[in-house]
PDB file of all heavy atoms in Angstrom:
ATOM      1  N   ILE P 104     -20.018  21.200   1.729  1.00 98.00           N
ATOM      2  CA  ILE P 104     -20.029  20.058   0.807  1.00 98.00           C
ATOM      3  C   ILE P 104     -20.894  20.398  -0.400  1.00 98.00           C
ATOM      4  O   ILE P 104     -22.077  20.698  -0.250  1.00 98.00           O
ATOM      5  CB  ILE P 104     -20.569  18.791   1.509  1.00 98.00           C
ATOM      6  CG1 ILE P 104     -19.649  18.404   2.673  1.00 98.00           C
ATOM      7  CG2 ILE P 104     -20.711  17.637   0.516  1.00 98.00           C
ATOM      8  CD1 ILE P 104     -20.130  17.186   3.462  1.00 98.00           C
ATOM      9  N   CYS P 105     -20.307  20.356  -1.586  1.00 98.00           N
ATOM     10  CA  CYS P 105     -21.043  20.615  -2.821  1.00 98.00           C
ATOM     11  C   CYS P 105     -21.287  19.304  -3.542  1.00 98.00           C
ATOM     12  O   CYS P 105     -20.347  18.696  -4.071  1.00 98.00           O
ATOM     13  CB  CYS P 105     -20.264  21.569  -3.719  1.00 98.00           C
ATOM     14  SG  CYS P 105     -20.049  23.192  -2.982  1.00 98.00           S
ATOM     15  N   GLY P 106     -22.518  18.852  -3.564  1.00 97.00           N
ATOM     16  CA  GLY P 106     -22.854  17.571  -4.180  1.00 97.00           C
ATOM     17  C   GLY P 106     -23.119  16.546  -3.091  1.00 97.00           C
ATOM     18  O   GLY P 106     -22.271  16.324  -2.226  1.00 97.00           O
ATOM     19  N   LEU P 107     -24.312  15.943  -3.142  1.00 97.00           N
ATOM     20  CA  LEU P 107     -24.659  14.967  -2.102  1.00 97.00           C
ATOM     21  C   LEU P 107     -25.079  13.656  -2.762  1.00 97.00           C
ATOM     22  O   LEU P 107     -26.028  13.010  -2.358  1.00 97.00           O
ATOM     23  CB  LEU P 107     -25.770  15.531  -1.201  1.00 97.00           C
ATOM     24  CG  LEU P 107     -25.886  14.946   0.209  1.00 97.00           C
ATOM     25  CD1 LEU P 107     -24.653  15.271   1.026  1.00 97.00           C
ATOM     26  CD2 LEU P 107     -27.140  15.440   0.910  1.00 97.00           C
ATOM     27  N   GLY P 108     -24.326  13.294  -3.814  1.00 95.00           N
ATOM     28  CA  GLY P 108     -24.552  12.005  -4.467  1.00 95.00           C
ATOM     29  C   GLY P 108     -23.838  10.909  -3.686  1.00 95.00           C
ATOM     30  O   GLY P 108     -23.743  10.954  -2.462  1.00 95.00           O
ATOM     31  N   VAL P 110     -20.554  10.003  -3.401  1.00 96.00           N
ATOM     32  CA  VAL P 110     -19.377  10.392  -2.618  1.00 96.00           C
ATOM     33  C   VAL P 110     -19.729  11.490  -1.607  1.00 96.00           C
ATOM     34  O   VAL P 110     -19.273  11.475  -0.468  1.00 96.00           O
ATOM     35  CB  VAL P 110     -18.227  10.843  -3.541  1.00 96.00           C
ATOM     36  CG1 VAL P 110     -17.023  11.284  -2.720  1.00 96.00           C
ATOM     37  CG2 VAL P 110     -17.836   9.708  -4.492  1.00 96.00           C
ATOM     38  N   GLY P 111     -20.574  12.419  -2.028  1.00 97.00           N
ATOM     39  CA  GLY P 111     -20.997  13.483  -1.108  1.00 97.00           C
ATOM     40  C   GLY P 111     -21.713  12.915   0.100  1.00 97.00           C
ATOM     41  O   GLY P 111     -21.436  13.304   1.246  1.00 97.00           O
ATOM     42  N   ALA P 139     -24.645  21.783  -0.382  1.00 98.00           N
ATOM     43  CA  ALA P 139     -25.392  22.115  -1.599  1.00 98.00           C
ATOM     44  C   ALA P 139     -25.757  20.819  -2.305  1.00 98.00           C
ATOM     45  O   ALA P 139     -24.887  19.990  -2.572  1.00 98.00           O
ATOM     46  CB  ALA P 139     -24.529  22.989  -2.522  1.00 98.00           C
ATOM     47  N   HIS P 140     -27.040  20.638  -2.574  1.00 96.00           N
ATOM     48  CA  HIS P 140     -27.473  19.409  -3.245  1.00 96.00           C
ATOM     49  C   HIS P 140     -28.674  19.689  -4.122  1.00 96.00           C
ATOM     50  O   HIS P 140     -29.451  20.613  -3.864  1.00 96.00           O
ATOM     51  CB  HIS P 140     -27.784  18.311  -2.229  1.00 96.00           C
ATOM     52  CG  HIS P 140     -28.898  18.641  -1.279  1.00 96.00           C
ATOM     53  ND1 HIS P 140     -30.063  17.940  -1.254  1.00 96.00           N
ATOM     54  CD2 HIS P 140     -29.014  19.607  -0.345  1.00 96.00           C
ATOM     55  CE1 HIS P 140     -30.873  18.448  -0.324  1.00 96.00           C
ATOM     56  NE2 HIS P 140     -30.252  19.465   0.245  1.00 96.00           N
ATOM     57  N   ARG P 141     -28.789  18.874  -5.186  1.00 93.00           N
ATOM     58  CA  ARG P 141     -29.915  19.037  -6.104  1.00 93.00           C
ATOM     59  C   ARG P 141     -31.090  18.177  -5.681  1.00 93.00           C
ATOM     60  O   ARG P 141     -32.221  18.542  -5.821  1.00 93.00           O
ATOM     61  CB  ARG P 141     -29.485  18.696  -7.535  1.00 93.00           C
ATOM     62  CG  ARG P 141     -28.708  19.831  -8.198  1.00 93.00           C
ATOM     63  CD  ARG P 141     -28.432  19.501  -9.632  1.00 93.00           C
ATOM     64  NE  ARG P 141     -27.754  18.204  -9.725  1.00 93.00           N
ATOM     65  CZ  ARG P 141     -27.110  17.770 -10.797  1.00 93.00           C
ATOM     66  NH1 ARG P 141     -27.064  18.520 -11.873  1.00 93.00           N
ATOM     67  NH2 ARG P 141     -26.510  16.599 -10.806  1.00 93.00           N
ATOM     68  N   VAL P 158     -24.447  25.669  -5.627  1.00 98.00           N
ATOM     69  CA  VAL P 158     -23.074  25.406  -5.140  1.00 98.00           C
ATOM     70  C   VAL P 158     -22.271  26.703  -4.975  1.00 98.00           C
ATOM     71  O   VAL P 158     -21.385  26.784  -4.125  1.00 98.00           O
ATOM     72  CB  VAL P 158     -22.308  24.442  -6.070  1.00 98.00           C
ATOM     73  CG1 VAL P 158     -22.888  23.032  -5.986  1.00 98.00           C
ATOM     74  CG2 VAL P 158     -22.282  24.932  -7.507  1.00 98.00           C
ATOM     75  N   PHE P 159     -22.599  27.728  -5.760  1.00 98.00           N
ATOM     76  CA  PHE P 159     -21.829  28.970  -5.669  1.00 98.00           C
ATOM     77  C   PHE P 159     -22.133  29.739  -4.382  1.00 98.00           C
ATOM     78  O   PHE P 159     -21.334  30.554  -3.941  1.00 98.00           O
ATOM     79  CB  PHE P 159     -22.076  29.843  -6.915  1.00 98.00           C
ATOM     80  CG  PHE P 159     -21.463  29.234  -8.142  1.00 98.00           C
ATOM     81  CD1 PHE P 159     -22.199  28.420  -8.973  1.00 98.00           C
ATOM     82  CD2 PHE P 159     -20.109  29.441  -8.429  1.00 98.00           C
ATOM     83  CE1 PHE P 159     -21.624  27.824 -10.083  1.00 98.00           C
ATOM     84  CE2 PHE P 159     -19.528  28.850  -9.543  1.00 98.00           C
ATOM     85  CZ  PHE P 159     -20.281  28.037 -10.370  1.00 98.00           C
ATOM     86  N   VAL P 171     -15.763  21.517  -0.533  1.00 98.00           N
ATOM     87  CA  VAL P 171     -15.542  20.141  -0.980  1.00 98.00           C
ATOM     88  C   VAL P 171     -16.350  19.937  -2.261  1.00 98.00           C
ATOM     89  O   VAL P 171     -17.582  19.899  -2.228  1.00 98.00           O
ATOM     90  CB  VAL P 171     -15.969  19.139   0.118  1.00 98.00           C
ATOM     91  CG1 VAL P 171     -15.727  17.712  -0.354  1.00 98.00           C
ATOM     92  CG2 VAL P 171     -15.196  19.405   1.404  1.00 98.00           C
ATOM     93  N   GLU P 172     -15.637  19.834  -3.361  1.00 98.00           N
ATOM     94  CA  GLU P 172     -16.281  19.736  -4.677  1.00 98.00           C
ATOM     95  C   GLU P 172     -16.532  18.280  -5.004  1.00 98.00           C
ATOM     96  O   GLU P 172     -15.593  17.533  -5.293  1.00 98.00           O
ATOM     97  CB  GLU P 172     -15.390  20.400  -5.740  1.00 98.00           C
ATOM     98  CG  GLU P 172     -16.002  20.423  -7.139  1.00 98.00           C
ATOM     99  CD  GLU P 172     -15.863  19.115  -7.890  1.00 98.00           C
ATOM    100  OE1 GLU P 172     -14.725  18.669  -8.142  1.00 98.00           O
ATOM    101  OE2 GLU P 172     -16.914  18.520  -8.232  1.00 98.00           O
ATOM    102  N   LEU P 173     -17.807  17.867  -4.976  1.00 97.00           N
ATOM    103  CA  LEU P 173     -18.155  16.473  -5.271  1.00 97.00           C
ATOM    104  C   LEU P 173     -19.289  16.406  -6.292  1.00 97.00           C
ATOM    105  O   LEU P 173     -20.093  15.483  -6.274  1.00 97.00           O
ATOM    106  CB  LEU P 173     -18.542  15.746  -3.974  1.00 97.00           C
ATOM    107  CG  LEU P 173     -17.446  15.721  -2.891  1.00 97.00           C
ATOM    108  CD1 LEU P 173     -17.974  15.158  -1.577  1.00 97.00           C
ATOM    109  CD2 LEU P 173     -16.228  14.926  -3.354  1.00 97.00           C
ATOM    110  N   ILE P 174     -19.334  17.427  -7.189  1.00 96.00           N
ATOM    111  CA  ILE P 174     -20.391  17.422  -8.203  1.00 96.00           C
ATOM    112  C   ILE P 174     -19.950  16.711  -9.471  1.00 96.00           C
ATOM    113  O   ILE P 174     -20.775  16.289 -10.270  1.00 96.00           O
ATOM    114  CB  ILE P 174     -20.878  18.855  -8.526  1.00 96.00           C
ATOM    115  CG1 ILE P 174     -19.725  19.736  -9.051  1.00 96.00           C
ATOM    116  CG2 ILE P 174     -21.488  19.506  -7.293  1.00 96.00           C
ATOM    117  CD1 ILE P 174     -20.176  21.119  -9.514  1.00 96.00           C
ATOM    118  N   GLY P 175     -18.634  16.538  -9.675  1.00 94.00           N
ATOM    119  CA  GLY P 175     -18.145  15.821 -10.852  1.00 94.00           C
ATOM    120  C   GLY P 175     -18.221  16.663 -12.114  1.00 94.00           C
ATOM    121  O   GLY P 175     -18.693  17.809 -12.094  1.00 94.00           O
ATOM    122  N   GLY P 176     -17.715  16.086 -13.216  1.00 93.00           N
ATOM    123  CA  GLY P 176     -17.760  16.777 -14.500  1.00 93.00           C
ATOM    124  C   GLY P 176     -16.676  17.836 -14.637  1.00 93.00           C
ATOM    125  O   GLY P 176     -15.835  17.996 -13.742  1.00 93.00           O
ATOM    126  N   TYR P 177     -16.699  18.530 -15.779  1.00 93.00           N
ATOM    127  CA  TYR P 177     -15.610  19.461 -16.069  1.00 93.00           C
ATOM    128  C   TYR P 177     -15.974  20.928 -15.794  1.00 93.00           C
ATOM    129  O   TYR P 177     -15.387  21.590 -14.955  1.00 93.00           O
ATOM    130  CB  TYR P 177     -15.198  19.353 -17.541  1.00 93.00           C
ATOM    131  CG  TYR P 177     -14.626  18.026 -17.957  1.00 93.00           C
ATOM    132  CD1 TYR P 177     -15.456  17.033 -18.448  1.00 93.00           C
ATOM    133  CD2 TYR P 177     -13.260  17.770 -17.878  1.00 93.00           C
ATOM    134  CE1 TYR P 177     -14.941  15.811 -18.855  1.00 93.00           C
ATOM    135  CE2 TYR P 177     -12.736  16.556 -18.291  1.00 93.00           C
ATOM    136  CZ  TYR P 177     -13.581  15.578 -18.771  1.00 93.00           C
ATOM    137  OH  TYR P 177     -13.069  14.382 -19.179  1.00 93.00           O
ATOM    138  N   ASP P 178     -16.962  21.466 -16.523  1.00 96.00           N
ATOM    139  CA  ASP P 178     -17.103  22.914 -16.600  1.00 96.00           C
ATOM    140  C   ASP P 178     -17.647  23.545 -15.321  1.00 96.00           C
ATOM    141  O   ASP P 178     -17.052  24.479 -14.779  1.00 96.00           O
ATOM    142  CB  ASP P 178     -17.995  23.277 -17.793  1.00 96.00           C
ATOM    143  CG  ASP P 178     -17.312  22.924 -19.110  1.00 96.00           C
ATOM    144  OD1 ASP P 178     -16.066  22.767 -19.090  1.00 96.00           O
ATOM    145  OD2 ASP P 178     -17.994  22.805 -20.135  1.00 96.00           O
ATOM    146  N   LEU P 179     -18.767  23.003 -14.837  1.00 97.00           N
ATOM    147  CA  LEU P 179     -19.348  23.580 -13.635  1.00 97.00           C
ATOM    148  C   LEU P 179     -18.384  23.392 -12.458  1.00 97.00           C
ATOM    149  O   LEU P 179     -18.187  24.300 -11.637  1.00 97.00           O
ATOM    150  CB  LEU P 179     -20.705  22.923 -13.339  1.00 97.00           C
ATOM    151  CG  LEU P 179     -21.445  23.486 -12.122  1.00 97.00           C
ATOM    152  CD1 LEU P 179     -21.753  24.973 -12.301  1.00 97.00           C
ATOM    153  CD2 LEU P 179     -22.745  22.701 -11.876  1.00 97.00           C
ATOM    154  N   ALA P 180     -17.743  22.216 -12.395  1.00 98.00           N
ATOM    155  CA  ALA P 180     -16.797  21.953 -11.312  1.00 98.00           C
ATOM    156  C   ALA P 180     -15.615  22.925 -11.371  1.00 98.00           C
ATOM    157  O   ALA P 180     -15.160  23.437 -10.347  1.00 98.00           O
ATOM    158  CB  ALA P 180     -16.303  20.507 -11.395  1.00 98.00           C
ATOM    159  N   ARG P 181     -15.146  23.199 -12.582  1.00 98.00           N
ATOM    160  CA  ARG P 181     -14.045  24.149 -12.746  1.00 98.00           C
ATOM    161  C   ARG P 181     -14.445  25.536 -12.267  1.00 98.00           C
ATOM    162  O   ARG P 181     -13.716  26.193 -11.513  1.00 98.00           O
ATOM    163  CB  ARG P 181     -13.626  24.189 -14.218  1.00 98.00           C
ATOM    164  CG  ARG P 181     -12.604  25.268 -14.551  1.00 98.00           C
ATOM    165  CD  ARG P 181     -12.230  25.231 -16.024  1.00 98.00           C
ATOM    166  NE  ARG P 181     -11.505  26.433 -16.406  1.00 98.00           N
ATOM    167  CZ  ARG P 181     -12.100  27.579 -16.752  1.00 98.00           C
ATOM    168  NH1 ARG P 181     -13.431  27.663 -16.770  1.00 98.00           N
ATOM    169  NH2 ARG P 181     -11.369  28.628 -17.060  1.00 98.00           N
ATOM    170  N   ASP P 182     -15.617  25.982 -12.689  1.00 98.00           N
ATOM    171  CA  ASP P 182     -16.098  27.304 -12.263  1.00 98.00           C
ATOM    172  C   ASP P 182     -16.223  27.361 -10.739  1.00 98.00           C
ATOM    173  O   ASP P 182     -15.831  28.341 -10.108  1.00 98.00           O
ATOM    174  CB  ASP P 182     -17.466  27.600 -12.892  1.00 98.00           C
ATOM    175  CG  ASP P 182     -17.358  27.845 -14.388  1.00 98.00           C
ATOM    176  OD1 ASP P 182     -16.218  27.993 -14.886  1.00 98.00           O
ATOM    177  OD2 ASP P 182     -18.408  27.868 -15.060  1.00 98.00           O
ATOM    178  N   LEU P 183     -16.781  26.304 -10.174  1.00 98.00           N
ATOM    179  CA  LEU P 183     -16.978  26.265  -8.719  1.00 98.00           C
ATOM    180  C   LEU P 183     -15.645  26.356  -7.990  1.00 98.00           C
ATOM    181  O   LEU P 183     -15.466  27.141  -7.047  1.00 98.00           O
ATOM    182  CB  LEU P 183     -17.706  24.966  -8.338  1.00 98.00           C
ATOM    183  CG  LEU P 183     -17.804  24.675  -6.841  1.00 98.00           C
ATOM    184  CD1 LEU P 183     -18.603  25.758  -6.121  1.00 98.00           C
ATOM    185  CD2 LEU P 183     -18.429  23.302  -6.604  1.00 98.00           C
ATOM    186  N   VAL P 184     -14.679  25.526  -8.419  1.00 98.00           N
ATOM    187  CA  VAL P 184     -13.388  25.472  -7.737  1.00 98.00           C
ATOM    188  C   VAL P 184     -12.642  26.802  -7.891  1.00 98.00           C
ATOM    189  O   VAL P 184     -12.086  27.333  -6.920  1.00 98.00           O
ATOM    190  CB  VAL P 184     -12.556  24.284  -8.266  1.00 98.00           C
ATOM    191  CG1 VAL P 184     -11.098  24.397  -7.865  1.00 98.00           C
ATOM    192  CG2 VAL P 184     -13.162  22.967  -7.765  1.00 98.00           C
ATOM    193  N   VAL P 195     -11.169  20.802  -1.504  1.00 98.00           N
ATOM    194  CA  VAL P 195     -10.912  19.360  -1.564  1.00 98.00           C
ATOM    195  C   VAL P 195     -11.829  18.813  -2.643  1.00 98.00           C
ATOM    196  O   VAL P 195     -13.017  19.158  -2.679  1.00 98.00           O
ATOM    197  CB  VAL P 195     -11.196  18.681  -0.203  1.00 98.00           C
ATOM    198  CG1 VAL P 195     -11.138  17.163  -0.327  1.00 98.00           C
ATOM    199  CG2 VAL P 195     -10.208  19.171   0.856  1.00 98.00           C
ATOM    200  N   THR P 196     -11.269  17.983  -3.525  1.00 98.00           N
ATOM    201  CA  THR P 196     -12.084  17.452  -4.621  1.00 98.00           C
ATOM    202  C   THR P 196     -11.772  15.981  -4.862  1.00 98.00           C
ATOM    203  O   THR P 196     -10.655  15.522  -4.611  1.00 98.00           O
ATOM    204  CB  THR P 196     -11.870  18.259  -5.924  1.00 98.00           C
ATOM    205  OG1 THR P 196     -12.622  17.650  -6.985  1.00 98.00           O
ATOM    206  CG2 THR P 196     -10.410  18.289  -6.338  1.00 98.00           C
ATOM    207  N   ALA P 197     -12.774  15.258  -5.358  1.00 97.00           N
ATOM    208  CA  ALA P 197     -12.595  13.855  -5.741  1.00 97.00           C
ATOM    209  C   ALA P 197     -12.615  13.720  -7.262  1.00 97.00           C
ATOM    210  O   ALA P 197     -12.685  12.612  -7.787  1.00 97.00           O
ATOM    211  CB  ALA P 197     -13.716  13.009  -5.128  1.00 97.00           C
ATOM    212  N   ASN P 198     -12.527  14.856  -7.965  1.00 97.00           N
ATOM    213  CA  ASN P 198     -12.820  14.903  -9.400  1.00 97.00           C
ATOM    214  C   ASN P 198     -11.555  14.728 -10.249  1.00 97.00           C
ATOM    215  O   ASN P 198     -10.811  15.673 -10.497  1.00 97.00           O
ATOM    216  CB  ASN P 198     -13.480  16.259  -9.660  1.00 97.00           C
ATOM    217  CG  ASN P 198     -14.075  16.367 -11.048  1.00 97.00           C
ATOM    218  OD1 ASN P 198     -13.585  15.747 -11.979  1.00 97.00           O
ATOM    219  ND2 ASN P 198     -15.118  17.162 -11.171  1.00 97.00           N
ATOM    220  N   LEU P 201     -11.506  16.717 -13.612  1.00 98.00           N
ATOM    221  CA  LEU P 201     -11.212  18.132 -13.361  1.00 98.00           C
ATOM    222  C   LEU P 201      -9.717  18.365 -13.159  1.00 98.00           C
ATOM    223  O   LEU P 201      -9.122  19.262 -13.762  1.00 98.00           O
ATOM    224  CB  LEU P 201     -11.979  18.593 -12.118  1.00 98.00           C
ATOM    225  CG  LEU P 201     -11.712  20.025 -11.673  1.00 98.00           C
ATOM    226  CD1 LEU P 201     -12.390  21.007 -12.620  1.00 98.00           C
ATOM    227  CD2 LEU P 201     -12.189  20.249 -10.238  1.00 98.00           C
TER     228      LEU P 201
END
Side-chain angles (χ1 to χ4, degrees):
Chain P
I104 298 178
C105 296
L107 203 65
V110 178
H140 62 116
R141 281 186 306 196
V158 290
F159 291 94
V171 180
E172 183 280 299
L173 301 172
I174 59 174
Y177 296 91
D178 293 341
L179 182 61
R181 173 179 167 276
D182 290 349
L183 171 62
V184 165
V195 171
T196 176
N198 191 330
L201 176 74

